[in-house]
Amino acid sequence: MHRGRTGTAAPGNGLTPLGLMAGDEGAIALSKQDLREVTAFAVACAEVVLEVFEADQPEDSRPRDAVGAAWEFARGGERGKSLRDTAWAALKAAKNADTEAGREAARAAMSAAGAAYLHPLAKATQVKHILGAGAHAARAAELVSGHDPGVGARYVERAVRRATPVVVQVLKRFPAAPAGGGRVGELMRMLDTGLRSPTLPE
């Protein structure tokens, strides 16, 4: 998760490379509403598998807290200490889970809160802020099913349908998802490809 800075909207279009000066090489236009839409998509992906973590660690509310903080930002709140802190706490919770499925579910929650800190840089690694929650959630679902790749693929398909036109438009401003990352990386690239499909309505 990266810490972001909020800029001032450019006159006329409301789109500003948040945290960058006009003319910076590699800057991508992002409005705060773009970030809210991306965060709403990420948290909708992550909350589906919250119960996977909570079955593993029923007394640990940290991933649920991260999901709640992400929803608060998506629905009009501000990026602040609570959002950052709950994201880091969810990551720590992942390390305490007893199962890999539980760890992936907590990482999905962490990624959902971290989505608000998408940076306006034309780098493939920034795509993780948009798609990380969905990829980790898909992997959690796979693991619960006994490592069935079809379950992950179906989760990715549902995530593609869940994305709003704004999320798709924002994603297309960035390079394709990066290589590597094991099975989570594969699922992220599947999600990336699905959202960039020319047959997907915008």
Side-chain angles (χ1 to χ4, degrees), residues 163-174:
T164 65
V166 171
V167 170
V168 175
Q169 291 163 11
V170 170
L171 177 65
K172 289 181 176 180
R173 296 173 198 163
F174 291 85

Side-chain angles (χ1 to χ4, degrees), residues 38-128:
V38 166
T39 302
F41 168 71
V43 71
C45 290
E47 70 177 357
V48 176
V49 295
L50 264 180
E51 62 186 21
V52 174
F53 175 83
E54 291 173 344
D56 183 308
Q57 300 291 321
E59 302 302 317
D60 192 339
S61 67
R62 288 177 290 181
R64 186 168 290 276
D65 293 341
V67 163
W71 271 129
E72 183 176 349
F73 171 73
R75 291 167 175 162
E78 295 301 322
R79 295 186 302 184
K81 186 174 186 298
S82 174
L83 189 59
R84 291 192 297 270
D85 288 351
T86 57
W88 288 118
L91 182 59
K92 291 178 181 178
K95 298 176 182 179
N96 294 339
D98 293 328
T99 65
E100 187 58 29
R103 287 189 283 274
E104 291 295 347
R107 289 170 187 143
M110 179 275 294
S111 297
Y117 293 93
L118 172 65
H119 281 192
L121 301 172
K123 295 182 178 180
T125 51
Q126 288 300 313
V127 173
K128 295 178 181 180

Side-chain angles (χ1 to χ4, degrees), residues 137-151:
R139 181 56 178 157
E142 274 189 350
L143 291 166
V144 168
S145 72
H147 297 265
D148 182 352
V151 170

